[in-house]
Amino acid sequence: MSFNTLGGTAFPSPASGGLEGWQRAVRRAGHRLTRPRRAVLEVVAQADAALTAAEIHRLARDRHPHTGLVTVYRTLNLLVELGLVRRLRIEEGGQVYLRADLHQPGHHLICRSCHRAVEFPCRGLEEVVEEMERRTGFTVQDHWLELFGLCPACQEEQEQ
Amino acid sequence: MSFNTLGGTAFPSPASGGLEGWQRAVRRAGHRLTRPRRAVLEVVAQADAALTAAEIHRLARDRHPHTGLVTVYRTLNLLVELGLVRRLRIEEGGQVYLRADLHQPGHHLICRSCHRAVEFPCRGLEEVVEEMERRTGFTVQDHWLELFGLCPACQEEQEQ
DNA sequence: TAACGTATTGAAACTCATTTTCAATAAGAT
DNA sequence: ATCTTATTGAAAATGAGTTTCAATACGTTA
């Protein structure tokens, strides 16, 4: 398990008007809107947590039963290329897909006891990053902050 | 490639007296010191940057030509269990191994163009962390901050 | 120094996630 | 309605890492 709560906790579930936007984006980029592709778009556009390819495959089949896992992968790669979806590597070595607008890049609270990961909206990091750019000459495009510790539930458990 | 400069930049190459310590640790834990195991220990103990299993395999063969990749994996897992080595996941999905004493957990500036990683002393993050603890109830024990972007040299190159 | 029990080895087989191949299909432009 | 060609899915390939198992070699004890 672990990261499959990614996105789910901190971002309740915003727009779903994104779907049509995605379809337009796909067409505009010169791609066809096929049935399996539509199925994958719908699943990912409507999910408000990060999903594995296998999970997306299962859900897409509810919409278009014939959808193959290969096409799920291909469509996900397309969506990542178009910038609509982010591919996230999880600690165990797999990858997971999340709507780009849900992806606060790289802010995770990870519980070392129960391995649950929660995304959090990050405040105050901008200054740290700017300071670092000034000091090193780097241009920072992205960042990734992970906090490791104990979640409230596991703290309680350990106190008993 | 990518992370293979990890550790390399900020830690020129400290002790190599670590080797005997490792051998003792392995024996103390009830394991035998076989030739291939020695070869892997030597390679990893003397490397001052993170290496992939394949790279370690290649280098270990210089010392004991018969060494199999399987044994490299097994030995690396052993070293990780003993806490002598850290296994780091890299962006591309693979993993990389680094002497634990070289692993300043988690402050890296990583250049997306030349893949060099530089460690930096982190200032101002404490407040961000505390704010987060207050807001979520987590107890934070550790953190990992990675900044991705372009180093000064690569910025110049791209401007031409 | 030899002999022995057993941890360790390496090759091959196996996972599991992802990608490639390729003939058949179906978008969507005309 | 037709036609071009992007897209599909099944099967095969890949690649990192693990498991299996008979053969080997540590290192303890005699």
Side-chain angles (χ1 to χ4, degrees):
Chain A
M1 280 304 99
S2 104
F3 268 51
N4 284 11
T5 43
L6 252 185
T9 332
F11 300 92
S13 172
S16 34
L19 221 197
E20 287 110 55
W22 284 22
Q23 298 179 338
R24 246 177 290 124
V26 168
R27 296 255 55 226
R28 204 181 311 125
H31 301 282
R32 296 180 180 171
L33 272 176
T34 64
R35 296 182 134 284
R37 221 169 236 173
R38 283 170 188 277
V40 173
L41 292 214
E42 282 170 30
V43 168
V44 182
Q46 286 169 20
D48 37 66
L51 300 171
T52 64
E55 287 166 337
I56 293 166
H57 183 214
R58 212 175 311 118
L59 292 168
R61 283 196 148 164
D62 293 344
R63 294 180 159 76
H64 180 63
H66 219 336
T67 309
L69 180 56
V70 199
T71 299
V72 171
Y73 276 109
R74 281 191 280 232
T75 305
L76 289 171
N77 286 338
L78 174 61
L79 292 176
V80 169
E81 270 167 40
L82 294 178
L84 300 171
V85 164
R86 297 267 184 277
R87 191 201 323 274
L88 312 176
R89 314 278 169 174
I90 61 179
E91 260 193 319
E92 294 76 36
Q95 42 198 44
V96 118
Y97 299 84
L98 180 67
R99 260 162 58 197
D101 67 289
L102 286 187
H103 179 52
Q104 282 270 336
H107 303 125
H108 305 129
L109 273 162
I110 298 162
C111 180
R112 281 193 163 132
S113 174
C114 68
H115 301 296
R116 191 148 315 176
V118 183
E119 287 211 345
F120 63 88
C122 179
R123 320 190 33 41
L125 196 58
E126 292 75 13
E127 292 111 63
V128 178
V129 171
E130 278 164 28
E131 162 77 9
M132 211 44 59
E133 287 185 304
R134 231 174 294 123
R135 229 190 310 175
T136 62
F138 257 75
T139 304
V140 174
Q141 302 166 334
D142 229 336
H143 60 264
W144 184 351
L145 174 60
E146 293 192 335
L147 306 180
F148 300 95
L150 291 176
C151 70
C154 289
Q155 282 172 56
E156 242 174 71
E157 221 170 72
Q158 298 211 346
E159 275 157 18
Q160 288 162 15
Chain B
M1 278 301 102
S2 108
F3 268 54
N4 284 10
T5 43
L6 246 189
T9 332
F11 300 91
S13 173
S16 33
L19 220 197
E20 286 111 56
W22 283 23
Q23 298 179 338
R24 245 177 291 125
V26 168
R27 297 255 54 229
R28 205 181 310 125
H31 301 282
R32 296 180 181 174
L33 274 177
T34 64
R35 295 183 134 284
R37 222 169 236 174
R38 281 171 190 277
V40 173
L41 292 214
E42 282 170 31
V43 168
V44 183
Q46 285 167 20
D48 37 67
L51 300 170
T52 64
E55 287 165 338
I56 293 166
H57 184 215
R58 212 176 310 119
L59 292 168
R61 282 195 149 165
D62 292 345
R63 294 180 158 78
H64 180 63
H66 219 344
T67 309
L69 180 56
V70 198
T71 299
V72 171
Y73 276 110
R74 279 191 281 232
T75 306
L76 288 171
N77 286 338
L78 175 60
L79 293 175
V80 169
E81 270 168 40
L82 295 178
L84 300 171
V85 164
R86 297 266 186 277
R87 189 202 323 273
L88 312 175
R89 314 278 171 174
I90 62 179
E91 259 194 321
E92 295 75 36
Q95 42 199 44
V96 117
Y97 299 85
L98 180 67
R99 261 162 55 197
D101 67 290
L102 287 186
H103 179 53
Q104 279 271 334
H107 300 121
H108 303 128
L109 271 163
I110 297 160
C111 180
R112 281 194 163 132
S113 175
C114 68
H115 301 296
R116 191 149 315 176
V118 183
E119 297 211 340
F120 63 88
C122 179
R123 315 180 45 31
L125 197 58
E126 292 74 13
E127 294 110 64
V128 178
V129 170
E130 278 165 27
E131 162 75 10
M132 211 43 60
E133 287 185 306
R134 230 173 297 124
R135 230 193 306 175
T136 62
F138 257 75
T139 303
V140 174
Q141 302 166 334
D142 230 335
H143 61 264
W144 182 310
L145 174 61
E146 294 191 337
L147 306 180
F148 301 95
L150 291 177
C151 70
C154 288
Q155 281 172 57
E156 244 174 70
E157 221 170 72
Q158 298 212 346
E159 275 157 18
Q160 289 163 13

